[in-house]
Amino acid sequence: MRYLILSDIHSNKEAFTAVLSRVKRKRWDRVIFLGDLVGYAAHPNQVVDQLRQLRPLVAIRGNHDKVCSGIEGGEFFNPPAREAALWTQRKLTRGNLRWLRELPRGPKLVDNTFGIAHGTPIDEDAYVFTEIDALNVFRLTGYEICFFGHTHYPVIYVLTPDAMTTVLTSGTTFRLELKPGARYLVNPGSVGQPRDGRPLAAYAIYDSDTRVLTIHRAAYRIAETQRAILEAGLPRPLAARLAIGR
Ligand code: ZN
């Protein structure tokens, strides 16, 4: 089975479209979405429509999906994120608002093959930034392979009986064969707001038959996304950060 793994699209229609056109001719059997479909950029309805059309789809909610659909108030968001969330809530159609509200909470086990979570399988809103964070997730959960998002930083944590390793991805196609006997925590990076200093949309493909994981980076029309953010009157830093991938 080949899985297309997407996370943190954040209403960036240009980035999402670029990723979908990249994978159009590739075979994938199922789309996995790790949360944060909306919030930050200016095309919430378009990205919800785009994701809803992909089938079969397994999707879970992110913290921005909760605030943008009114499940939570966003009191702990920074001011630009909160402003964007409230703007998004006003723009979403009733149908899309309801669809977002009904997105399930992670974690989920997919095809008895791997786990998925937005932040961590223990707490959907918690971040995995360090090896200590990753080690805690390994200790407190049983997944051999678990995909997560939320940090917008593509990274793979590998736990073997001897060591814990952090694998940083590089290039526009990064390939890793997953070995039996090791455990993996994988962040495919963010489609719509990458924060690893590379302003390219990120996504992953995992082939569960060959156990090959690839993390891809795709260029997209950043200036278009920025223009839409500014025209919508959303906070300027949300446009500026896309150019530097931070
Ligand atoms: Zn996010």
Side-chain angles (χ1 to χ4, degrees), residues 86-223:
L86 297 176
W87 179 91
T88 301
Q89 202 177 346
R90 291 195 302 272
K91 291 287 169 187
L92 283 165
T93 65
R94 268 165 179 259
N96 285 340
L97 198 68
R98 191 180 325 116
W99 189 84
L100 280 172
R101 231 176 246 159
E102 286 169 1
L103 275 177
R105 173 206 298 258
K108 254 178 176 283
L109 180 65
V110 178
D111 297 336
N112 257 318
T113 306
F114 54 79
I116 58 171
H118 183 62
T120 81
I122 303 136
D123 178 348
E124 61 180 344
D125 296 336
Y127 291 89
V128 176
F129 274 127
T130 66
E131 287 192 351
I132 303 287
D133 298 334
L135 197 57
N136 276 324
V137 174
F138 282 125
R139 282 204 180 119
L140 297 170
T141 65
Y143 301 107
E144 183 199 356
I145 303 164
C146 184
F147 292 92
F148 70 100
H150 198 32
T151 63
H152 300 204
Y153 199 104
V155 64
I156 304 158
Y157 296 101
V158 189
L159 184 71
T160 62
D162 317 312
M164 168 96 189
T165 317
T166 302
V167 180
L168 298 176
T169 65
S170 58
T172 48
T173 303
F174 179 84
R175 184 182 184 278
L176 187 75
E177 195 179 326
L178 307 194
K179 301 271 184 274
R183 294 176 65 194
Y184 296 87
L185 256 179
V186 181
N187 191 323
S190 164
V191 171
Q193 197 196 74
R195 293 181 190 162
D196 62 335
R198 302 178 71 207
L200 302 168
Y203 63 99
I205 291 178
Y206 178 58
D207 186 324
S208 59
D209 300 319
T210 60
R211 291 176 61 97
V212 170
L213 168 76
T214 47
I215 294 183
H216 301 265
R217 305 302 291 263
Y220 71 96
R221 297 187 299 177
I222 294 174

Side-chain angles (χ1 to χ4, degrees), residues 7-10 35-38 40 62-64 118 127 149-152 190 193 195:
S7 192
D8 296 279
I9 295 169
H10 283 295
D36 278 5
L37 181 51
V38 295
Y40 290 137
N63 52 324
H64 286 256
H118 183 62
Y127 291 89
H150 198 32
T151 63
H152 300 204
S190 164
Q193 197 196 74
R195 293 181 190 162

